Amino acid sequence: QYLFFMSWSSTDAISLCFLLFALAETINIIQTGKEISLLRAVGYGLLFCLPYFFRYMYLPVAGLLPLLVFLSGINLKNKKLKVSGLKLLGIAAFFIAVLSVISLLTYGNAVYLNNFGRGFYINQLADWYPFLPASFINLDFAAQLIEKISPLNYSQAMSYFNIINILLVFLFSFLLGLYVYFNKRNLFSSSHSAFIIIGSLISIFIILLLAYLSFIYKKIQWGYINWTYVSDERYFAFVYIFFLLLFFICLYHYSAFFKRPLIRFFAFIAVCCFSIEVMHGIYYNIKILGHHKDLSPIRESENVYKRFPAIIKEIKEQNPDREVFVSAPDLFYTHDASQLGYKAIFDYQNLSRTALTVTKKSILILPIHTNEVIIMKDYIETKKPKSILTIDGVFFYAEEINPE
């Protein structure tokens, strides 16, 4: 139950699928060891750039994969791989240049990034999402489970996951260094070895890019949430999948390594976490298929998501003289409203304590799920907005705001 599949747009999953496909094809090129034709090189070059077309954070991958094909030729002393790598590098560079020009002409920036302020924000590198533990279990589910069976609360559990993540990063770095040192002449000689090296480098480049972006771009404040690139779980999508596959590949090909008592203990913990997550995922989806009453808001909200553009358009037509603002605990509505050209207020927590100042007549729309009414209780009681619509367990409130 990876969060980026459940909570974010389809482009996250699409870019991940293209990246996994590109990884598999890179390994295939290296293992085949033959020079590829120009036409096939164009196809591979496009494939290597497709993840970047959907997610700019995969920009390093577009150049890294062709470079690794070239380096594998050096490592394996294969001239045909060197030539193939150079072809792929040139073609990938061409596609990157084309996308950069399109982005520059469309958005005024060669790399499409929202600039909320630039500088040097080293303190923002302290709040990482625990991406390595998240490879084996949904951390939100794990933290809730820990809260139920131990004295730790949710926040404390997440803090411990952050500590575990740091330790695992150092452990992985150490083991990868040893692996490269002892296998430096055979890094690409087998499929599983190539997978380890290429996947590890992709993960490292993604993590470094996210760290760089978090270091130079100011955090975005959404109410009580401070958003940075390293705190957003969806940007680690490839890392989740890779480290899970890496664990089982090492378990199969390097079983002798896991005979050490301490390593065996950690492997047992990892398998237990993954097993719990699998069983939880099966149970969760059976409840959805079985129309369990506790999950009715999840099923019903999908219908409202689809109808939201039409609903907000109708409200605008009914209030042509008013500017439309949208705020909600569910960030889908605020993001969708922004894309539709309306103004969004992400700081929904402070609506009850803040008087909005507008320059012309406005109307604030709040779609609130049944289970979120308690969150907005203070606002509803203080501002007394009108309930204008109820659809599938979602209440639409409206507050008219006039300039002073």
Side-chain angles (χ1 to χ4, degrees):
Q1 300 289 356
Y2 290 120
L3 289 175
F4 67 89
F5 278 131
M6 300 189 293
S7 304
W8 294 94
S9 66
S10 60
T11 54
D12 292 298
I14 292 171
S15 58
L16 174 62
C17 288
F18 278 129
L19 180 52
L20 292 173
F21 186 24
L23 170 60
E25 287 303 309
T26 303
I27 295 172
N28 181 57
I29 292 170
I30 294 171
Q31 293 304 301
T32 303
K34 298 178 181 179
E35 183 179 345
I36 56 177
S37 65
L38 183 60
L39 183 62
R40 288 176 66 87
V42 171
Y44 284 129
L46 179 61
L47 174 62
F48 294 162
C49 292
L50 279 175
Y52 169 53
F53 288 178
F54 288 93
R55 276 285 172 266
Y56 57 81
M57 54 171 287
Y58 292 133
L59 170 59
V61 176
L64 177 64
L65 294 179
L67 178 62
L68 287 174
V69 173
F70 175 75
L71 293 177
S72 69
I74 296 175
N75 182 257
L76 298 174
K77 298 179 180 179
N78 185 322
K79 186 178 179 180
K80 293 180 179 180
L81 281 179
K82 295 178 187 177
V83 174
S84 296
L86 291 175
K87 286 182 183 178
L88 292 171
L89 273 171
I91 293 169
F94 170 76
F95 283 124
I96 292 172
V98 169
L99 182 63
S100 299
V101 171
I102 293 173
S103 180
L104 182 63
L105 296 175
T106 306
Y107 302 107
N109 192 338
V111 180
Y112 180 63
L113 290 171
N114 290 319
N115 189 350
F116 293 95
R118 294 191 62 165
F120 299 103
Y121 307 99
I122 193 167
N123 59 307
Q124 294 179 177
L125 298 178
D127 187 24
W128 286 75
Y129 185 75
F131 52 88
L132 288 184
S135 300
F136 296 90
I137 192 168
N138 183 312
L139 296 187
D140 180 64
F141 162 66
Q144 293 181 50
L145 188 63
I146 291 171
E147 189 174 34
K148 288 181 179 179
I149 64 175
S150 76
L152 298 176
N153 58 36
Y154 183 94
S155 298
Q156 290 172 328
M158 293 301 291
S159 296
Y160 279 109
F161 284 136
N162 273 304
I163 295 172
I164 293 170
N165 188 61
I166 293 171
L167 295 175
L168 288 177
V169 167
F170 280 108
L171 178 61
F172 166 74
S173 302
F174 175 72
L175 293 176
L176 179 63
L178 289 179
Y179 185 84
V180 171
Y181 178 78
F182 287 109
N183 297 275
K184 52 191 172 186
R185 294 186 179 180
N186 302 294
L187 292 177
F188 301 97
S189 59
S190 62
S191 296
H192 65 268
S193 181
F195 174 82
I196 292 171
I197 297 302
I198 298 172
S200 297
L201 287 173
I202 292 173
S203 300
I204 291 169
F205 272 84
I206 289 172
I207 291 168
L208 290 176
L209 177 61
L210 294 176
Y212 171 73
L213 294 174
S214 296
F215 178 63
I216 65 169
Y217 284 100
K218 187 178 180 180
K219 64 186 177 184
I220 304 172
Q221 291 185 318
W222 289 341
Y224 299 111
I225 301 172
N226 292 322
W227 182 92
T228 62
Y229 288 93
V230 295
S231 64
D232 195 330
E233 66 273 0
R234 67 191 178 119
Y235 288 136
F236 297 99
F238 175 81
V239 180
Y240 303 146
I241 303 297
F242 169 70
F243 275 93
L244 186 61
L245 293 174
L246 176 65
F247 173 76
F248 286 107
I249 284 175
C250 290
L251 200 62
Y252 179 79
H253 288 282
Y254 304 101
S255 56
F257 176 75
F258 292 90
K259 292 181 179 180
R260 298 176 177 87
L262 185 60
I263 300 299
R264 182 177 294 182
F265 172 75
F266 286 129
F268 176 76
I269 296 292
V271 171
C272 286
C273 289
F274 182 65
S275 300
I276 292 171
E277 178 58 32
V278 170
M279 289 187 289
H280 172 248
I282 294 171
Y283 170 69
Y284 184 87
N285 285 288
I286 288 175
K287 286 175 71 176
I288 293 177
L289 294 173
H291 299 281
H292 195 282
K293 61 181 180 64
D294 291 344
L295 295 173
S296 58
I298 296 175
R299 293 191 300 271
E300 293 168 351
S301 62
E302 184 178 355
N303 298 325
V304 186
Y305 290 158
K306 293 177 181 178
R307 297 176 60 182
F308 179 69
I311 292 170
I312 203 73
K313 181 181 179 182
E314 184 179 348
I315 292 173
K316 175 60 179 175
E317 290 174 351
Q318 294 171 355
N319 301 270
D321 60 330
R322 292 185 178 272
E323 187 174 17
V324 176
F325 288 81
V326 176
S327 185
D330 187 340
L331 294 180
F332 169 85
Y333 297 110
T334 46
H335 283 296
D336 203 31
S338 296
Q339 293 175 352
L340 292 170
Y342 303 101
K343 291 188 176 180
I345 300 175
F346 292 94
D347 190 6
Y348 62 87
Q349 295 99 332
N350 289 318
L351 288 175
S352 61
R353 299 187 291 271
T354 305
L356 294 177
T357 302
V358 295
T359 56
K360 61 181 180 179
K361 289 184 177 181
S362 305
I363 183 169
L364 174 62
I365 307 301
L366 292 100
I368 303 174
H369 297 283
T370 304
N371 59 340
E372 296 170 345
V373 172
I374 187 66
I375 300 174
M376 303 302 297
K377 181 181 177 182
D378 289 343
Y379 166 78
I380 295 170
E381 292 179 350
T382 304
K383 302 289 185 173
K384 294 182 172 51
K386 295 179 182 178
S387 179
I388 59 172
L389 189 64
T390 302
I391 304 176
D392 293 334
V394 179
F395 301 96
F396 281 78
Y397 288 92
E399 179 191 353
E400 294 183 352
I401 307 169
N402 299 313
E404 297 181 354

